[in-house]
Amino acid sequence: MRRLLIGCLFLLASIATANGEESAPKFKADIPKSIQTPDLVKTTLLGELKFSDGMPSPETVRKAYDFLDVARAAEAFLAGVPAASLYAVLEGFKSTGMKPCDLGIFEDLLDARSLFLTPNTISVYAMQEINVKDGPIVVDVPPGVLGPVQDAFFRYVVDFGVIGPDKGKGGRYVFAHESYDGQLPQGTFHVRTKTYRNGAFFRAPVKDGDTAAAANGIKASFRCYPLAQSKNPPKQRFVNLTGKQFNTIHSNDFNFFDELNAVIQYEPTDAYDPVSLGLFASIGIQKGKAFKPDKRMRGLLEEGVAIGNAAARSISFANRDRSVYYYPDRQWFASFAGPHDFIEDGALNSDKRLLWLYNATGVTPAMSTPKVGTGSVYPMAARDSDGKYLDGGENYTVTLPAPIPVNNFWAFTAYDGQTRSLLETSQRRAGLDSTDPDLKPNDDGSYTIYFGPSAPAGKASNWVQTMPGKSYFVFMRLYGPLEPWFDKTWKPGDFEKVK
């Protein structure tokens, strides 16, 4: 009987072991709590996430994938701004009838009718597309101009002018894609590009208010044509852009992804880094594939671009990085902070890249590391001395102490908080500069500038008009900044609200 009982117990134990019902495994690890997933996880963004011994419930799976798609869409917006911005510029040129190698010139300066990211209204701007997809392009650059060339991802390519290879004397540049293996003519400046489409932006100084002379100086020697047509170059075409209503600013809604997709489809795959291309691919933007999100994905992309745009505007106008502020007791901060490639200690500072490229056009080492007495700096302010956003219905003063540390001249320009283009007012220039003969200094040599809907009595020469109901921000440009700017012994005043 006893043997029979023992046999039955042994049989039951064997069956239990075979069915996986062993009470304790023989091989057991000391599992840290930190690598385990509780059956219930509470989050701020997604609420409750439920699991069964680590396996996500269907609702948790849905929440997780929705979050991933929205997060990746937001990050794709932030990472894709440089590409979409250059694309919007080049497409804006096309909308005016310009083709690659045509040169658009703001012959009588730029005003608010043309939508550009934070342009100035002091110099004669000239702009063009340099497209090397079908072969090298020759560009004859006039003497005395200044400006950079950017590739399709808004990366620096080369400078024209005094800080470029021609040293301000002008010269012949030949642009070719990196894959081009033919011969390039000797005695020219050879420039290789990673992308097919490239944008050139340069300006000519205006002397004694003579904009026509500056524009004609550009036209006299500028030429652009395919290298294959060198023996019989076509007639150069110029387009006067002054007064034209056209847009060069990328979208902030779902259309942004169409703009980004157009860049990815056109440019060679190896033109951009694999990490960013992988991010774009994760939301359906991949070379050689149609970008056709379904209803669910489109809704999440719209959510993501809205969040990305909110982040871009927070970085632009409420930056939490105190290192971009020039002074601990001022609201002025660097619109262009860090090196021209935005790489610091081997890491890309994506916030600083966005701070500049969400609000401006043009990247060059001359902006990030100007030498004393040369180049230019672009301090930016969006708030008054009390930390409140500038209000177009209020009146403010800004005082620049004497002497203002510039080798050339200084300027203020007001920009629309929505478009980041010139503020639309009845003042064509949306600002003023120190070359204006009517500008009046204070008795001690300092300058006080007035911002508001109407000019204070007797101060019209020092007044920048703003519009009630409109937000705005201001660039203070210093051309040829001197040592007191760099060592910070000179401080511009904040915007002081007139009470």
Side-chain angles (χ1 to χ4, degrees):
M1 184 70 179
R2 186 172 176 225
R3 288 182 178 180
L4 179 61
L5 180 59
I6 292 172
C8 289
L9 291 173
F10 179 78
L11 178 61
L12 289 173
S14 299
I15 293 171
T17 300
N19 290 335
E21 297 176 2
E22 187 174 353
S23 59
K26 292 181 181 180
F27 306 100
K28 180 175 175 60
D30 183 11
I31 303 175
K33 185 178 181 180
S34 61
I35 72 170
Q36 299 181 62
T37 301
D39 286 348
L40 179 63
V41 177
K42 295 182 179 180
T43 70
T44 301
L45 293 178
L46 303 184
E48 291 186 348
L49 303 177
K50 297 180 180 179
F51 302 84
S52 177
D53 195 27
M55 301 302 171
S57 70
E59 179 64 8
T60 295
V61 170
R62 182 193 66 77
K63 289 180 178 180
Y65 278 126
D66 284 356
F67 175 80
L68 271 181
D69 289 337
V70 170
R72 286 170 175 168
E75 184 60 29
F77 175 83
L78 300 175
V81 160
S85 185
L86 197 283
Y87 175 81
V89 169
L90 299 184
E91 292 301 296
F93 293 168
K94 287 172 63 175
S95 73
T96 69
M98 287 176 57
K99 298 178 181 179
C101 264
D102 291 348
L103 188 69
I105 307 178
F106 285 93
E107 297 187 21
D108 192 23
L109 304 180
L110 198 152
D111 59 46
R113 289 172 289 185
S114 305
L115 291 169
F116 274 86
L117 292 175
T118 57
N120 79 44
T121 56
I122 306 164
S123 305
V124 170
Y125 273 109
M127 307 172 183
Q128 67 164 151
E129 177 179 347
I130 301 171
N131 193 319
V132 297
K133 186 173 185 178
D134 296 328
I137 297 295
V138 177
V139 180
D140 288 345
V141 175
V145 302
L146 180 68
V149 178
Q150 324 285 182
D151 76 6
F153 294 100
F154 237 121
R155 295 172 300 203
Y156 171 73
V157 177
V158 71
D159 273 301
F160 294 153
V162 66
I163 56 176
D166 67 88
K167 305 300 182 184
K169 298 177 182 178
R172 178 161 295 176
Y173 289 71
V174 180
F175 290 82
H177 186 254
E178 289 183 338
S179 64
Y180 180 75
D181 57 5
Q183 293 291 319
L184 297 179
Q186 295 182 351
T188 62
F189 302 115
H190 298 173
V191 182
R192 295 283 184 168
T193 68
K194 293 180 179 294
T195 61
Y196 298 140
R197 300 183 85 185
N198 303 271
F201 312 87
F202 60 89
R203 63 181 185 265
V206 177
K207 297 180 180 180
D208 301 322
D210 194 345
T211 57
N216 290 333
I218 293 174
K219 292 179 179 181
S221 55
F222 179 88
R223 298 292 182 271
C224 179
Y225 52 87
L227 178 64
Q229 299 180 25
S230 293
K231 292 184 178 180
N232 186 26
K235 182 180 179 181
Q236 180 62 47
R237 184 168 179 261
F238 298 100
V239 178
N240 184 2
L241 298 177
T242 293
K244 289 186 180 293
Q245 291 181 314
F246 66 104
N247 176 44
T248 68
I249 301 172
H250 66 79
S251 300
N252 289 331
D253 58 11
F254 181 83
N255 293 308
F256 174 90
F257 296 116
D258 289 326
E259 295 165 353
L260 180 60
N261 181 61
V263 179
I264 298 303
Q265 298 306 326
Y266 189 83
E267 298 296 340
T269 304
D270 60 359
Y272 209 39
D273 70 276
V275 174
S276 297
L277 292 178
L279 172 64
F280 303 152
S282 72
I283 62 169
I285 296 175
Q286 190 170 8
K287 190 174 180 65
K289 296 185 178 180
F291 176 55
K292 293 182 178 180
D294 58 20
K295 183 178 179 180
R296 169 196 168 274
M297 190 63 181
R298 184 183 178 97
L300 296 176
L301 290 175
E302 290 174 345
E303 181 91 353
V305 73
I307 294 171
N309 184 53
R313 289 180 173 273
S314 297
I315 290 169
S316 297
F317 307 123
N319 203 299
R320 62 185 179 182
D321 180 2
R322 293 305 304 179
S323 73
V324 305
Y325 289 82
Y326 287 109
Y327 315 96
D329 59 344
R330 295 287 191 276
Q331 297 293 341
W332 293 102
F333 60 96
S335 54
F336 197 129
H340 76 278
D341 58 4
F342 307 100
I343 295 177
E344 299 176 334
D345 297 324
L348 173 67
N349 191 317
S350 55
D351 283 3
K352 288 183 178 179
R353 180 178 69 175
L354 188 74
L355 171 60
W356 179 248
L357 291 178
Y358 187 77
N359 297 293
T361 301
V363 173
T364 167
M367 291 180 177
S368 61
T369 55
K371 296 179 181 179
V372 175
T374 66
S376 51
V377 291
Y378 305 88
M380 174 178 174
R383 297 170 183 266
D384 66 18
S385 59
D386 293 325
K388 297 180 180 179
Y389 288 126
L390 299 177
D391 182 341
E394 299 290 346
N395 293 294
Y396 304 90
T397 62
V398 178
T399 297
L400 303 183
I404 300 172
V406 291
N407 192 35
N408 295 317
F409 64 97
W410 54 267
F412 281 108
T413 312
Y415 299 102
D416 188 321
Q418 276 283 3
T419 65
R420 292 98 70 212
S421 188
L422 292 166
L423 186 64
E424 297 175 333
T425 69
S426 296
Q427 278 185 335
R428 186 174 177 227
R429 295 172 58 194
L432 50 75
D433 68 85
S434 60
T435 67
D436 189 336
D438 294 328
L439 194 66
K440 296 178 181 178
N442 299 320
D443 291 341
D444 62 357
S446 64
Y447 283 85
T448 298
I449 309 303
Y450 301 83
F451 290 80
S454 57
K459 304 297 183 181
S461 62
N462 290 38
W463 168 62
V464 177
Q465 186 180 14
T466 62
M467 298 297 287
K470 285 299 302 176
S471 67
Y472 69 98
F473 62 98
V474 173
F475 271 21
M476 175 175 62
R477 288 177 167 86
L478 303 179
Y479 292 97
L482 299 176
E483 188 61 37
W485 166 258
F486 291 99
D487 64 20
K488 299 183 180 179
T489 56
W490 180 83
K491 288 184 180 181
D494 269 335
F495 278 77
E496 301 288 346
K497 185 176 178 181
V498 179
K499 299 178 181 179

